[in-house]
Amino acid sequence: MKKLFLIMAGIMFLAVTTSCEHKDLCYNHPEHAHKYHIKVVADYRLDWEECYGGPDWEANWPENYLDYNSLRPGKPSGLRVVNNDVKGNSNTHNIAANGGVVTLYEGVNDLLFYNNDTEYILFSRINDMSGASTRATTRATTRTRTRATYMGSKYANEGEETMTPPDALFANYYEGYIAEKVIDPSVVEVTLQPLVFTYKIRYEFAEGLEYVSLIRGALSGMARSVTLDTGETSAEAATLLFDGEVTDFGGRAKVTSFGVPAFPNANYPSRAEAKHALNLEVLLKNGNMLSFDYDVTDQVLAQPHGGVIVIKGIEVKVEQGVTNSGGFDVSVSDWGPYEDIVLPL
């Protein structure tokens, strides 16, 4: 019996020590298994405006403006990867901003990348099942916002919905990636492109700035949404409501947007009929509120993806700003918050 026990023990020892000499057997272990997976390595282009024949602000930035680089968006805190296969299956992965490992479907995958840390942006997904394609299009828009004192502008398009400026949004699209079954994930490098840009608004006062307490405004004629996999903006326009700050020269604001509508899109080659209006609301220290409207069509069309809009020569008359023989009521409270409304999709 003792001999038999030693023989059986020896056989078991040989089986354990030799089984992993055959790698195909070790692939049954989860840590060694073949998978359809990739390692995403992500980078971001942190531009706040793009030059399309308009002013080259980066090369010719005025000295008395905010630092150009201070207007760049920050790097996102997280990345979302959505993969779709030819059968219409879809899977969503949330990984670190700089990337991570995600599992794909066997064969051809379409990969959509975008940051997952937005607050005001709303996403909708449209499946195109025409022909042999199962392409999924993802569109980003933002929330509606109301403001009782804004009744539109004579320079704006009629009937535009008022909305909240969008958060920073980055995206990219990889069509037709073929996933292979491997042990170590294949590396996919991607640079996410900005889809939200910034307009720096500069209000320069010629008279009466000393009477001003608060400012805010509205920028009309901006794209209501953007398609993530193409970067094209929708033809529908919206008005963006924003807050600003009083400065030693007047006022300023930073307004984020998807850019101008239908850009770039070969189906909409002409933007000649576009209108872009800029509104300024001024709350004075005496409690009065003034509203100014400006046609900024030329400035916006020269800068379809962010830039600088300047309004000069704004005046507040003495009779508008003075009450009680020159006394000021500096205890005027804020004019209250906006009301955000979730846009139904």
Side-chain angles (χ1 to χ4, degrees), residues 89-106:
N89 298 312
S90 180
N91 202 5
T92 300
H93 317 265
N94 291 290
I95 57 178
N98 61 345
V101 176
V102 299
T103 302
L104 305 182
Y105 296 107
E106 178 182 1

Side-chain angles (χ1 to χ4, degrees), residues 293-313:
D293 288 307
Y294 304 95
D295 185 347
V296 294
T297 300
D298 290 343
Q299 293 192 61
V300 173
L301 291 185
Q303 306 170 101
H305 273 178
V308 180
I309 299 173
V310 181
I311 302 297
K312 297 183 178 182

Side-chain angles (χ1 to χ4, degrees), residues 52-254:
Y52 288 93
D56 187 350
W57 290 113
E58 189 169 11
N60 302 283
W61 191 245
E63 292 184 2
N64 61 339
Y65 282 17
L66 287 171
D67 180 68
Y68 181 92
N69 290 318
S70 70
L71 295 169
R72 296 185 187 276
K75 183 178 177 181
S77 60
L79 175 62
R80 179 164 295 160
V81 184
V82 181
N83 66 292
N84 305 286
D85 70 1
V86 295
K87 297 178 181 179
N89 298 312
S90 180
N91 202 5
T92 300
H93 317 265
N94 291 290
I95 57 178
N98 61 345
V101 176
V102 299
T103 302
L104 305 182
Y105 296 107
E106 178 182 1
V108 179
N109 289 252
D110 292 339
L111 307 175
L112 176 65
F113 307 86
Y114 61 95
N115 56 304
N116 63 1
D117 59 351
T118 58
E119 179 181 359
Y120 295 107
I121 291 179
L122 303 174
F123 297 95
S124 61
R125 186 169 178 267
I126 303 171
N127 293 324
D128 179 8
M129 303 300 291
S130 60
S133 172
T134 55
R135 182 187 182 96
T137 297
T138 300
R139 181 169 292 174
T141 186
T142 186
R143 301 175 186 274
T144 57
R145 168 181 276 190
T146 61
R147 193 173 75 195
T149 55
Y150 179 73
M151 305 302 292
S153 168
K154 63 181 180 180
Y155 301 113
N157 306 297
E158 293 184 5
E160 284 190 8
E161 194 164 19
T162 52
M163 307 188 79
T164 300
D167 310 291
L169 178 64
F170 304 87
N172 210 327
Y173 187 71
Y174 194 135
E175 186 174 10
Y177 181 85
I178 300 176
E180 298 179 351
K181 203 168 189 180
V182 293
I183 299 175
D184 297 322
S186 303
V187 175
V188 173
E189 297 182 353
V190 58
T191 298
L192 277 81
Q193 305 295 324
L195 294 181
V196 167
F197 303 91
T198 300
Y199 287 98
K200 180 185 181 299
I201 312 293
R202 184 178 172 92
Y203 299 106
E204 297 182 359
F205 278 64
E207 181 183 343
L209 179 59
E210 65 272 21
Y211 306 130
V212 176
S213 174
L214 298 169
I215 69 165
R216 64 184 180 185
L219 180 61
S220 72
M222 308 314 297
R224 182 170 176 171
S225 64
V226 64
T227 301
L228 269 63
D229 53 332
T230 64
E232 296 175 356
T233 57
S234 64
E236 297 80 18
T239 296
L240 302 174
L241 303 180
F242 59 86
D243 293 309
E245 61 177 325
V246 179
T247 66
D248 57 355
F249 58 81
R252 67 185 173 202
K254 293 186 292 184

Side-chain angles (χ1 to χ4, degrees), residues 308-323:
V308 180
I309 299 173
V310 181
I311 302 297
K312 297 183 178 182
I314 303 171
E315 295 183 355
V316 177
K317 301 299 183 181
V318 174
E319 57 270 24
Q320 295 172 316
V322 175
T323 59

Side-chain angles (χ1 to χ4, degrees), residues 20 104 107 147 257 268 330:
C20 277
L104 305 182
R147 193 173 75 195
S257 82
Y268 301 89
V330 296

